[in-house]
């Protein structure tokens, strides 16, 4: 049964699709008690706690640590460019795309302490001791970095990404714990939090909107029994807040009132990943890609692959939808109509893995893969899908690759190694 505003006790939760170790780890980490975490997060410049370098503790730095770019820095001839810099970070990621972000001249990878590195040099500019809740997103909006609270009083905090100083704070109250920002627009921050029972346990959760200026609660709605506060992916378009969770719910709410506009159960949602373009939400469900109207939930178009070729994570970049399937066919699609602009078998021809995250700079589409072997960062022609080069640090780390860009550099995170590549 799809999510509604009122709580029901007859809900039968759905089960996730094909298990992914990292997604399940993220889910488990999201539900960990916060008793062992710090009592609060403090913005700092002077006296900031440095992210520990494993080399100083007897470990080894990733290959290329602090190396200067050589003659091959710009790549060419099918070869990957040499990193401009590589740093060991405090990253603790579970494979979601919101765990590596770039803003205000710094790049941040989810971890504790949360360290902000200068995009040009890789030098640390500031850090927050105990600044990240495991599995929580790094949410950017209104020139503010919003982080989940580590306290049991429902606190959500915002920071200046350039300096790490606290600039905003809001509280849901003592009856809530682990509030997690999931989306932000020009006026509100949207959070999901557990509702505490008298014995300290939690069976339900709430979704709320906080005023991004005053911090006051604009509205809050209790979600159904059986819904989860973890594994949520969300986006805002106009008056519509759309989100999914691991229980195969697709829900749209009115951003002004919190009222539910529509909801539906989905079949297979790749752990909740979707794309939004203008007034459409685009959801992969097995070998079917569906686009629904945000205002009413009406299906606008459908794209199908072969029966056993399942669609992976989608992304809309510069008005083009990019999505691959399990047969390693990459498609560029018009997100308004579902019309295929081009499709490419270059990934399969090269024996490469399917990207699960995409970023675009100029005429190059970069894909980040889930696993290390025959994966990493793949650079493709954005107009044809042809593979130009691949980058892999050869570490064998089991973590997913994550990518982000400031338009001048591509940042590739793999485990605790963060590489800055020229674009």
């Amino acid at each position: 049964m799809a999510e509604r505003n009122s709580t029901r006790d007859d809900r039968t939760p759905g089960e996730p699709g094909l298990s992914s170790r990292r997604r399940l780890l993220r889910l488990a980490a999201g539900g960990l008690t916060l008793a062992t975490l710090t009592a609060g997060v403090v913005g700092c410049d002077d006296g900031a706690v440095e992210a520990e370098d494993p080399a100083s503790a007897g470990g080894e730095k990733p290959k290329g640590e602090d190396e200067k770019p050589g003659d091959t820095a710009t790549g060419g001839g099918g070869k990957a460019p040499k990193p401009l810099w590589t740093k060991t970070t405090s990253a603790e990621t579970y494979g979601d795309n919101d765990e590596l972000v770039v803003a205000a001249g710094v790049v941040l990878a989810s971890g504790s302490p949360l360290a902000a590195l200068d995009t040009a040099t890789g030098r640390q500019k500031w850090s927050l001791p105990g600044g990240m809740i495991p599995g929580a997103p790094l949410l950017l909006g209104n020139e503010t970095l919003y982080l989940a609270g580590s306290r049991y009083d429902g606190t959500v905090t915002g920071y200046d990404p350039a300096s790490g100083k606290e600039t905003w704070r809001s509280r849901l109250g003592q009856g809530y714990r682990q509030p997690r920002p999931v989306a932000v627009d020009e006026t509100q921050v949207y959070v999901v939090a557990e509702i505490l029972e008298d014995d300290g346990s939690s069976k339900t959760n709430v979704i709320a909107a906080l005023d991004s200026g005053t911090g006051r609660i604009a509205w809050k709605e209790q979600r159904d029994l059986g819904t989860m506060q973890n594994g949520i992916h969300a986006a805002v378009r106009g008056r519509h807040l759309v989100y999914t969770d691991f229980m195969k719910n697709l829900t749209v709410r009115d951003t002004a009132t919190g009222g539910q506009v529509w909801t539906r159960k989905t079949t297979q949602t790749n752990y909740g990943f979707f794309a939004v373009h203008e007034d459409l939400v685009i959801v992969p469900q097995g070998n079917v890609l569906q686009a629904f109207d945000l205002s009413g939930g009406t299906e606008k178009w459908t794209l199908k692959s072969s029966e056993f070729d399942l669609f992976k994570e989608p992304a809309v970049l510069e008005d083009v939808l990019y999505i691959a399937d399990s047969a390693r066919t990459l498609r560029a699609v018009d997100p308004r109509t579902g019309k295929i602009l081009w499709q490419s078998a270059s990934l399969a021809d090269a024996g490469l893995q399917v990207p699960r995250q995409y970023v675009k700079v100029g005429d190059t589409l970069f894909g980040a893969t889930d696993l290390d072997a025959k994966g990493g960062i793949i650079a493709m022609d954005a107009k044809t899908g042809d593979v130009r080069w691949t980058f892999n640090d050869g570490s064998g780390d089991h973590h997913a690759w994550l990518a982000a860009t400031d338009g001048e550099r591509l940042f590739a995170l793999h485990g605790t190694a963060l590489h800055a590549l020229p674009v």
Side-chain angles (χ1 to χ4, degrees):
M1 182 175 295
E3 178 184 339
R4 293 192 294 270
N5 286 334
S6 59
T7 299
R8 291 179 58 93
D9 57 10
D10 60 349
R11 177 184 176 82
T12 302
E15 293 294 331
L18 299 175
S19 296
S20 164
R21 181 181 178 188
R22 273 157 301 284
R23 302 297 198 291
L24 295 178
L25 281 173
R26 177 181 172 88
L27 177 60
L32 291 174
T33 176
L34 303 181
T36 58
L37 298 179
T38 57
V41 180
V42 180
C44 56
D45 277 327
D46 297 331
V49 176
E50 297 286 334
E52 182 180 3
D53 187 334
S56 65
E60 295 183 359
K61 294 182 179 181
K63 183 179 179 180
E65 171 77 45
D66 293 328
E67 289 182 0
K68 300 295 183 181
D71 295 336
T72 60
T74 56
K79 295 182 180 180
K82 186 176 180 180
L84 300 171
W85 52 259
T86 293
K87 294 291 182 178
T88 300
T89 71
S90 58
E92 299 171 325
T93 64
Y94 295 89
D96 264 9
N97 299 347
D98 51 16
E99 295 176 322
L100 179 70
V101 298
V102 181
V106 299
V107 55
L108 302 106
S110 177
S112 183
L114 177 63
L117 305 184
D118 184 277
T119 54
T121 66
R123 296 190 181 94
Q124 181 173 292
K125 298 188 71 173
W126 56 263
S127 71
L128 300 176
M132 281 301 302
I133 304 302
L138 294 166
L139 183 64
L140 287 167
N142 303 318
E143 300 181 348
T144 302
L145 172 68
Y146 298 97
L147 299 180
S150 60
R151 300 178 179 177
Y152 282 81
D153 59 359
T155 298
V156 183
T157 314
Y159 301 88
D160 174 12
S163 66
K165 295 184 180 298
E166 181 180 320
T167 57
W168 181 88
R169 178 172 290 229
S170 179
R171 286 183 60 187
L172 281 176
Q174 293 285 351
Y176 305 94
R177 71 179 176 190
Q178 297 187 351
R180 296 175 178 231
V182 295
V184 60
D185 60 20
E186 292 81 3
T187 60
Q188 295 180 152
V189 182
Y190 304 90
V191 302
V192 174
E194 295 178 342
I195 300 174
L196 287 174
E197 304 289 335
D198 292 339
D199 62 359
S201 64
S202 178
K203 300 177 182 178
T204 54
N205 60 92
V206 66
I207 187 163
L210 309 175
D211 189 292
S212 59
T214 65
R216 294 175 181 172
I217 300 173
W219 52 259
K220 58 184 176 181
E221 294 283 347
Q222 182 172 327
R223 301 176 68 218
D224 277 0
L225 185 68
T227 57
M228 303 177 68
Q229 74 275 10
N230 304 309
I232 288 181
H233 298 98
V236 186
R237 287 296 183 274
R239 287 195 58 169
H240 298 108
L241 169 67
V242 56
Y243 58 94
T244 58
D245 61 23
F246 282 167
M247 290 303 166
K248 301 180 181 178
N249 294 305
L250 174 64
T251 303
V252 176
R253 291 185 182 271
D254 188 308
T255 57
T257 66
Q260 184 172 283
V261 179
W262 58 270
T263 186
R264 67 169 62 225
K265 295 296 292 186
T266 55
T267 54
Q268 302 178 51
T269 59
N270 290 316
Y271 299 93
F273 287 96
F274 63 87
V276 173
H277 180 70
E278 296 179 350
D279 59 349
L280 297 177
V281 53
I282 303 164
V283 185
Q285 301 190 71
N287 71 325
V288 179
L289 187 65
Q290 291 177 291
F292 301 103
D293 177 62
L294 280 173
S295 62
T298 305
E299 183 180 289
K300 291 299 184 180
W301 57 259
T302 299
L303 180 65
K304 292 185 178 181
S305 63
S306 300
E307 181 179 0
F308 301 108
D309 299 339
L310 308 182
F311 283 113
K312 300 301 183 178
E313 293 88 340
V316 175
L317 304 171
E318 298 179 3
D319 296 328
V320 176
L321 169 68
Y322 298 98
I323 189 166
D325 62 30
S326 56
R328 293 179 290 181
T329 298
L330 177 65
R331 294 171 177 83
V333 179
D334 184 336
R336 296 164 296 183
T337 64
K339 178 182 178 181
I340 296 176
L341 303 176
W342 56 257
Q343 66 181 40
S344 170
S346 293
L347 293 172
D349 293 343
L352 298 172
Q353 292 188 23
V354 172
R356 48 165 302 279
Q357 183 190 15
Y358 302 90
V359 296
K360 185 175 180 289
V361 181
D363 64 353
T364 303
L365 178 68
F366 297 97
T369 70
D370 204 8
L371 300 175
D372 183 63
K374 294 186 177 180
I377 300 297
I378 305 172
M380 297 162 282
D381 189 313
K383 295 182 179 179
T384 64
D386 292 342
V387 174
R388 291 177 171 173
W389 51 260
T390 61
F391 173 82
N392 196 310
D393 58 13
S395 68
D397 191 288
H398 69 275
H399 285 83
W401 285 82
L402 296 177
T405 183
D406 62 358
E408 298 180 12
R409 308 163 193 86
L410 179 75
F411 301 97
L413 179 67
H414 188 214
T416 58
L418 179 61
H419 311 277
L421 302 174
V423 296

